[in-house]
Amino acid sequence: MPPFARHTALVVSVLTGIFLRGAEAQTFPTRPITLVVPFAAGGPSDTIARLIAQSMSKTLNGSVVIENVAGAGGTLGAARVSKAETDGHTLLIHHVALPAGASLYKNLSYDTATAFEMLGLINAGPMVLLARKNDPAADAPALLARLRGQGGDAMKSTLAHAGVGSNSHLCGLLLSRALKVSFTQVAYRGTGPAMNDLVSGQVDLLCDQSTTAVPQVSSGTVKGFAVTSGKRLGVLKELPTLIEAGLSGFEFTIWHGLYAPAGTPQPVIEALNRALGVALADAQISARFADVGTNSYPEAERTPEAHRALFQREMTVWKEVITATSEDK
Ligand code: MLT
């Protein structure tokens, strides 16, 4: 092929590509979008997903339907989305457990670092250390002293969590390490069902995200002891931070992000990021977030690039934490 013909062919194919990609964005979505929540209904990830799905449905002029694919600390839902069609109709909401899971699970069916497109960060907030409502400890220092005092015998206390690698499990891992104790762990498919068992007194402890912890503490169905943020939480200001309660340096912030399978076209990624931005700019959603002690990411920090940078940092951080603990899957 003469050089000019090669050049023309290249220009035509680039233009065709641009046209098709533009057309893809214009016609997206062509059917209901499935938003996979990798934990049980009623938990914090499910709550956040349902809040943003309503608004995104309106913006995208389609419907965003929640599917709970729970189990194995959120890795089953992630696996489902990693293998979905790359057309933007199957999305994943996930949190810190996605990058942390890369170090906790040795046989994942997806490569965490490359399997997903980042569509943007959603919210960030702390966790709350909770116990049964009739726990005898008067405050966080007393609870921590009792657990510490159990030493090798802390196995007496049951700690509920949402599966290996979930936030509630990671929070428990950090707590065990800080107190030098191990708990009897009880794994659930999400903190929704774990919370039900804490409310009915079948387990002793749960570290849950503020999203679902705040309403339970406020209504007195469980006892809140401390928050994992560096500062007290406005909506639970009577609770100290774990640092104030004596666990120096104990800080753990949870963030959620939105994902699509790797290979999703750029215009579709941009359309989904824009729709997420509209949801997070909605005053009603911000107010609902504020009521439960979580914050949406500001516009400049919810770009796909910022999301990828945080994701990569968290993969490194959790690899170090998990290597430093003997606990492994
Ligand atoms: C859930 O929605 O159940 C949680 O996000 C689980 C967790 O990571 O603790």
Side-chain angles (χ1 to χ4, degrees), residues 48 82 107 148 153 161 196 236 250 255 258 270 288 291 293 299 322-323:
I48 300 290
S82 72
N107 296 310
R148 212 185 248 120
D153 213 15
H161 62 67
N196 291 342
L236 286 179
F250 197 117
W255 52 268
L258 194 63
E270 285 163 15
R288 293 280 301 276
D291 285 347
E299 196 173 347
I322 289 156
T323 310

Side-chain angles (χ1 to χ4, degrees), residues 6-28:
R6 264 206 309 272
H7 180 72
T8 308
L10 183 69
V11 169
V12 167
S13 81
V14 167
L15 287 177
T16 310
I18 289 167
F19 173 73
L20 284 178
R21 292 211 309 269
E24 244 156 17
Q26 272 162 26
T27 55
F28 173 80

Side-chain angles (χ1 to χ4, degrees), residues 39-40 43-46 95 127 162 166-169 190-192 208-209 256:
F39 295 98
S45 301
D46 185 70
H95 48 43
M127 302 193 82
S166 63
N167 288 323
S168 38
H169 172 255
T191 55
D208 196 16
Q209 290 159 63
H256 279 94

